[in-house]
Amino acid sequence: MFVLSGCALSGSEEAERLSETAQVAQASFAVGDYPEAAQLYEKVSQTEPGSVSALIGLGRSYAAMGQIARAQSALDRARQLSPRNPQVLNELGRLALGQGNAAQALDFYEASLGYDRKNLAALTGKAVTLDYLSRHKEARAVYETGLAIYPTNFVLLSNHALSRVLSGDGAGGIALMEELRRDPVQGSQVVPNLAIAQVLEGRSAEARKVLKGQMSEAQIAALLRRAEEARRIRAEGQPIGHLVFQ
């Protein structure tokens, strides 16, 4: 229902030396040209069938286009080639969570952490998945573990702030997001989370104000409408993690 900041992985996580075609594919993905990225990654996969990084890129590209079956196929092949690769496991976790398969996603992230307990993407993914399952106390523990290793990481801090709101610390979570919003480079990334938190705390007018200029009026209306629905369900004592972290 809502966009959660910070599920993407950085290019620095690529473990293999990239060919020129793969570099162009990576650049295409970075600017949102997913069809071009997929086409280029397909070429790399054909010429380098053992390239795990190309298969990961292919999986990401197809997932971004909503072609889940093809994304799953690419990532499954990557896992066959490198079953203990945390990056592959993280991508499988992200794909599973995107389809609402939170239990499966949690298994992938935990497996990734089993091979690399400091893996930033796995820590973030596990915490987000626990919040999706409305297991907020456990999620916050994972965030705290991650922040002990990466104390200034923007994505961890942003998602931890929203987790705090969901677990009852609305004022503290919103204050942290307001601070992150002032970051000159990444500040805009926290705005959707901040708006969600404000609505959940009964501050819908402020949420509309913070979203103005960040998205279209139709998108703002849709986000606020859905956030209000989550607030209503929360007031009834029902879990809303699966609504917020989607």
Side-chain angles (χ1 to χ4, degrees):
M1 184 176 292
F2 302 119
V3 175
L4 178 68
S5 68
C7 288
L9 302 178
S10 68
S12 64
E13 290 178 285
E14 298 290 349
E16 301 179 21
R17 186 183 184 88
L18 295 178
S19 67
E20 182 177 347
T21 302
Q23 291 180 44
V24 176
Q26 192 175 63
S28 297
F29 184 91
V31 299
D33 190 348
Y34 306 125
E36 176 68 11
Q39 184 178 42
L40 291 170
Y41 278 126
E42 286 280 13
K43 289 182 179 179
V44 177
S45 294
Q46 291 169 9
T47 57
E48 303 174 40
S51 175
V52 174
S53 64
L55 288 165
I56 291 172
L58 194 56
R60 288 177 178 172
S61 301
Y62 281 133
M65 291 189 287
Q67 297 187 33
I68 305 306
R70 298 175 88 179
Q72 188 73 56
S73 179
L75 294 174
D76 285 344
R77 177 56 181 157
R79 192 183 186 191
Q80 290 174 358
L81 291 170
S82 188
R84 298 184 177 184
N85 187 319
Q87 191 180 0
V88 174
L89 293 166
N90 292 339
E91 288 297 326
L92 285 165
R94 183 164 61 153
L95 188 65
L97 187 60
Q99 299 308 299
N101 299 322
Q104 185 182 52
L106 192 59
D107 286 343
F108 282 127
Y109 288 126
E110 288 180 338
S112 177
L113 289 169
Y115 296 120
D116 179 7
R117 65 183 180 85
K118 295 183 179 181
N119 189 282
L120 175 59
L123 287 165
T124 305
K126 181 179 179 179
V128 168
T129 303
L130 288 167
D131 268 327
Y132 181 101
L133 292 166
S134 295
R135 292 160 59 178
H136 305 305
K137 184 177 180 180
E138 294 172 72
R140 288 186 63 175
V142 176
Y143 283 123
E144 288 163 9
T145 297
L147 289 169
I149 305 169
Y150 309 102
T152 61
N153 183 268
F154 189 94
V155 170
L156 277 175
L157 287 167
S158 174
N159 290 339
H160 184 219
L162 185 53
S163 186
R164 287 172 64 176
V165 174
L166 291 172
S167 57
D169 182 14
I174 288 175
L176 176 54
M177 282 187 270
E178 289 280 14
E179 182 179 329
L180 293 172
R181 186 185 170 207
R182 294 197 291 271
D183 185 282
V185 177
Q186 302 178 87
S188 61
Q189 295 178 21
V190 79
V191 169
N193 281 1
L194 175 57
I196 293 165
Q198 288 172 327
V199 171
L200 291 175
E201 294 299 302
R203 296 161 55 179
S204 298
E206 292 176 57
R208 175 174 289 280
K209 184 176 180 180
V210 81
L211 289 169
K212 194 170 181 61
Q214 299 291 319
M215 55 183 66
S216 70
E217 283 299 320
Q219 290 172 322
I220 291 173
L223 187 150
L224 293 179
R225 182 171 59 253
R226 293 166 180 171
E228 289 286 3
E229 177 67 6
R231 180 170 179 252
R232 182 189 65 78
I233 293 172
R234 184 191 197 188
E236 295 173 353
Q238 300 298 315
I240 62 170
H242 65 290
L243 299 177
V244 173
F245 288 84
Q246 193 174 74

